Amino acid sequence: MRAVKERYPALTGVRAFGAIAVFFDHFPPWPHWHAIINVMAFFYVLSGFLIVRLYHEQARLTRAWLSKYFINRFARIYPVYFLLLTVAVCLQRDFSLPVLASNYTLTHALFYRSTLIIQPSWSLTVEECFYALAPLFMILARRAGFAAAFTLAAALLGAALAISTLDIRLLHTPAFVLSTTFFGHFAEFFAGVYLALYVTRLERTGSLAA
């Protein structure tokens, strides 16, 4: 896998604004105050756009490519999360092994009423699910078009909703699936995916300067 350019300077300010909004939404300066925009939806759209812009042309279902891709994704999120989570665990010191395992593996937000040691980290589970599925979506979009990839994601939502009727902690209820998991938020990611594919198509036809 050739080196990819990870940074988009034009988006740095936008991402910083989003990060500030997330911070104040979880730690409001006044009681009962919350951001009036859906900040997480913004980040999901941005993630969909950036991942496809970076990797769409080179995505392969090979061990070599996938290993480098997942190492890159791991390095972007997990080290800082691991550090913050470890600090939180050391400060509170009262978590069971299952709680620690689910939080350290970022699977906690797939299970109903999981203990979230860092409350906003549920969104990282959503991001990680997208990262895991993105190579398949990108290859399908490249070979069969955006609609085929979107249809697969919609089918995964249907499967998640079916599991949610089994009355188990995994996915648990349709409301939980739609509000807290990647499957319920896939359309937001795919808004970014579509935009990235559209920009790529414009570049190919010469309608947009590279």
Side-chain angles (χ1 to χ4, degrees):
M1 183 173 70
R2 65 177 176 83
V4 295
K5 185 179 181 180
E6 289 280 358
R7 300 190 60 170
Y8 280 79
L11 295 176
T12 299
V14 179
R15 297 172 78 178
F17 172 80
I20 292 170
V22 168
F23 176 85
F24 282 113
D25 191 48
H26 288 287
F27 301 99
W30 304 285
H32 310 298
W33 182 92
H34 291 283
I36 60 175
I37 60 174
N38 189 339
V39 180
M40 295 317 305
F42 160 78
F43 272 109
Y44 297 153
V45 173
L46 187 59
S47 290
F49 174 81
L50 290 174
I51 290 298
V52 172
R53 284 291 286 163
L54 289 169
Y55 296 109
H56 172 253
E57 296 296 328
Q58 55 183 283
R60 301 287 186 274
L61 293 181
T62 64
R63 175 182 291 184
W65 190 88
L66 289 174
S67 63
K68 291 182 180 179
Y69 166 80
F70 284 116
I71 288 172
N72 285 341
R73 294 300 95 208
F74 179 89
R76 295 288 288 182
I77 286 182
Y78 198 80
V80 173
Y81 171 72
F82 178 89
L83 176 61
L84 294 176
L85 179 60
T86 301
V87 170
V89 169
C90 291
L91 290 174
Q92 299 185 46
R93 297 181 297 179
D94 60 351
F95 298 113
S96 66
L97 183 59
V99 169
L100 293 175
S102 65
N103 278 265
Y104 274 104
T105 58
L106 279 173
T107 58
H108 49 344
L110 292 173
F111 296 90
Y112 184 66
R113 288 188 174 177
S114 290
T115 298
L116 304 181
I117 298 175
I118 300 176
Q119 191 64 34
S121 66
W122 68 269
S123 62
L124 294 182
T125 301
V126 177
E127 292 275 359
E128 292 297 297
C129 286
F130 172 68
Y131 292 160
L133 293 166
L136 185 59
F137 292 146
M138 289 186 286
I139 290 172
L140 190 56
R142 196 170 65 219
R143 294 179 179 178
F146 172 83
F150 187 92
T151 299
L152 173 60
L156 292 174
L157 170 60
L161 290 173
I163 293 173
S164 73
T165 65
L166 300 178
D167 195 26
I168 58 177
R169 286 189 64 224
L170 176 65
L171 304 179
H172 192 64
T173 65
F176 180 81
V177 169
L178 294 173
S179 65
T180 312
T181 72
F182 160 75
F183 310 105
H185 291 279
F186 87 89
E188 295 150 34
F189 285 95
F190 267 74
V193 170
Y194 180 83
L195 179 60
L197 294 175
Y198 178 73
V199 171
T200 299
R201 186 164 62 249
L202 289 180
E203 288 181 348
R204 285 176 176 173
T205 60
S207 300
L208 182 71

